[in-house]
Amino acid sequence: FPAENIRNFSIIAHVDHGKSTLADRLLELTGEYQFLCNSVALIQSIDVFMSPLETISPKRDNQQVLDKLTVERERGITVKAQTCSMFYKFNEKQYLLNLIDTPGHVDFNYEVSRSLAACQGTLLLVDASQGIQAQTAANFWLAFNQDLTIIPVINKIDLEAADTERVINQIENSFELDTKDICRISAKSGLNVEDILPIVIEKIPPPSGDINGLLKAFLFDSWYDTYVGVICLMAIVDGKLQKGDKIVSAHSNLKYDVADIGIMHPERFSTEYLHAGQVGYVILNMKIASEAHIGDTFYHHKHPVDPLPGFEPAKPMVFAGIFPIDANEFNRLDESITKLTLNDASVSVQKETSMALGQGWRIGFLGTLHMDVFRQRLEEEYDASVIVTQPTVPYKIVYRDGTSKFVRNPSEFPEQNEMSNNVVQLQEPMVMATIIVPNEYLGNVMDLCGAHRGEQIEYNSLDELRVMMRYALPLAEIVTDFHDELKSRSSGYASFDYEDMGYQTSDVVKKMNVLINKKPVDALAAILHRSQVATVGRDWAKKLSDVIPKQLYEVAIQTAIGGKIVARETIPAIRKNVTAKCYGGDVTRKMKLLEKQKEGKKKMKMIGKMNLIMNEIDVHLLDF
Ligand code: GDP
Ligand code: MG
């Protein structure tokens, strides 16, 4: 397949603007094409060995084949980047179009950027009724910074609320893109979708690689498959990679045999080899998940090349403890987490032991949505029941002796006395947030940002109806319920995205402990801003007293900063009259029972303080 007949592209969009629907339509379209052209001519014209081609038959139930995972379907987001090759005939020439599906949410920018690295161009899809949203802007800048050809496409023109001309204006004003012959489509009905691929072929440059050069293969995605093990997605930049080849990782210097190679069509389809310009899957004899290093360059054994620039590793910024509800599940869960983390190079995992919750893990995520998706996948795909603790961000603590450390777990956060004796400075991570909001909700959203210690950096009208604002915000302020609040205060119309802004000094963050019968419960410790302590402290004590069932003894719940109690709730003991059933009668029996009750009480008191968290409290308690 000559490289000039190959196009590698992606679709970027704000969530729900129709990326998956469009991907389906394109696959369907190219599938249908192959039915129409007689496949004999096709097979002769391409040098991959394939049966008559069918990308997706329009008759098959193909609802969003690119979004393979259940979680994605449910949440309507694409978590894992998926790649699919399509064959398309245009101007009497056969083209190989590689569509690289990119996740669309703010937490997944890392995955978006590494998917983009395998493309030369991208379709910027915008909903005609909603216009540019925060993730549209964020994804545009990612693509722009990678020098990709960006083709704007307006979707959902079938909607009554569509205001196509206004959206085209926004695209011109904000991104300075050429909108002269912009595609106006309905991915849902398929209207005008056929106009897209010719434009992709005309505007996006083919990959520039040397088929006869030394092999240079770029690993941009990988996942774990239960049947075949680690599967890598690679873009072949130069040369040719064949089944049976021996290749070496520039990152680790480890040598591998190519066990299988092919394209995603959309399922794996073995092709014996891939050459410069092509994108496909490669199965190597990798033993463990973490060997597939995203951003790695592979070359032929004994023919080293200069590696391509890799990726900045994604920095997990939201940390939470994850514990099995049933301690016996630890090993199985450990395996599941290992498999899931291969699917997601941006997660960090560390073992952790909690007095209250037992053995578990401290897991780092890119954001809270990322965390929710991880938990949901663990539960759905691996059938695990877990407790997830309150998420925290990494704080940097600078000590009097000049050393410093990052704290990712509230239990490691210095207590009040250590704070005043040994710590000279506390720093917290900041983000630069982009918020797009209709004028009528502007006041609400500004109030919300103010309440979360936000500082307005920029204010621009996007058009006569909407405003784009930039705020510096502490990350800790947006990892809890900021998204939900923003949505509810803007009736769902505000959109939000953020990028990392480094660390800033903060002298007002405190560690709050939750004490049950005077003993701190490690898993419930939280790091809070001074202004939150009173409300959150009261709130937590109240919530806990609501969910902890009555015990045979009195349970005192306190929240405290250092030695200072913020709030207290008491759950009175159950008065169980065990002798009631005995009709007076046998005194020895009565004594025995009373003795038993006392013993039971003692035992409960001992283990109760900690274990009650595990056994008695609804697991969702820890989500608040
Ligand atoms: P994604 O999050 O960008 O992948 O968006 P989806 O493809 O999942 O689409 C989100 C929702 O918009 C789905 O309910 C689609 O059926 C709907 N949708 C997508 N394209 C169109 C369109 O052209 N017109 C209408 N009316 N709805 C659409
Ligand atoms: Mg989708």
Side-chain angles (χ1 to χ4, degrees), residues 259-475:
D260 189 17
I261 189 165
I263 59 171
M264 301 301 292
H265 191 56
E267 299 305 325
R268 287 198 314 279
F269 192 105
S270 191
T271 60
E272 300 290 328
Y273 66 85
L274 293 173
H275 64 62
Q278 289 188 319
V279 172
Y281 75 90
V282 180
I283 298 177
L284 303 171
N285 51 339
M286 283 183 175
K287 293 283 181 305
I288 49 165
S290 53
E291 283 177 68
H293 182 81
I294 305 300
D296 200 356
T297 302
F298 286 82
Y299 56 85
H300 274 135
H301 179 51
K302 291 193 176 138
H303 298 281
V305 294
D306 289 335
L308 295 149
F311 291 107
E312 286 265 311
K315 279 185 303 246
M317 289 308 276
V318 176
F319 293 80
I322 292 192
F323 298 89
I325 288 180
D326 176 357
N328 294 325
E329 290 280 283
F330 182 83
N331 286 332
R332 203 175 65 86
L333 202 53
D334 195 44
E335 233 167 74
S336 310
I337 287 176
T338 309
K339 282 181 190 162
L340 260 185
T341 42
L342 171 74
N343 256 334
D344 197 339
S346 49
V347 176
S348 77
V349 184
Q350 219 183 323
K351 292 237 164 60
E352 176 180 349
T353 307
S354 153
M355 274 192 299
L357 302 174
Q359 238 192 326
W361 305 263
R362 174 126 299 240
I363 305 198
F365 304 96
L366 300 178
T368 40
L369 178 89
H370 190 201
M371 180 176 86
D372 286 348
V373 168
F374 188 88
R375 186 240 300 259
Q376 205 178 338
R377 289 190 61 185
L378 210 52
E379 288 176 349
E380 281 175 10
E381 293 171 37
Y382 296 92
D383 197 27
S385 304
V386 294
I387 295 173
V388 181
T389 63
Q390 174 84 357
T392 32
V393 302
Y395 289 91
K396 187 178 176 186
I397 295 166
V398 184
Y399 292 96
R400 213 169 278 290
D401 63 6
T403 60
S404 65
K405 75 167 183 189
F406 285 95
V407 169
R408 298 178 174 82
N409 190 337
S411 66
E412 293 164 11
F413 202 81
E415 297 290 345
Q416 274 314 104
N417 54 345
E418 196 198 346
M419 206 64 161
S420 36
N421 294 337
N422 296 329
V423 176
V424 286
Q425 203 184 57
L426 197 69
Q427 297 179 2
E428 64 175 330
M430 301 292 292
V431 299
M432 179 62 82
T434 305
I435 301 172
I436 296 181
V437 61
N439 294 342
E440 62 257 50
Y441 302 106
L442 188 59
N444 284 351
V445 171
M446 287 169 69
D447 286 349
L448 177 70
C449 292
H452 285 274
R453 300 190 277 143
E455 186 195 335
Q456 195 180 78
I457 305 294
E458 217 180 294
Y459 178 102
N460 285 314
S461 314
L462 202 61
D463 53 31
E464 67 279 13
L465 299 176
R466 293 192 306 160
V467 169
M468 170 148 45
M469 294 185 289
R470 306 261 284 169
Y471 269 92
L473 277 158
L475 179 64

Side-chain angles (χ1 to χ4, degrees), residues 13-22 63-64 67 76-78 125 155-159 185-189:
H14 189 78
V15 66
D16 280 345
H17 280 198
K19 188 164 51 105
S20 301
T21 311
L22 176 59
Q63 206 36 54
Q64 311 203 341
D67 285 357
I77 51 169
T78 310
L125 192 66
N155 189 29
K156 305 200 188 182
I157 60 165
D158 59 298
L159 288 178
I185 67 161
S186 166
K188 194 171 180 181
S189 75

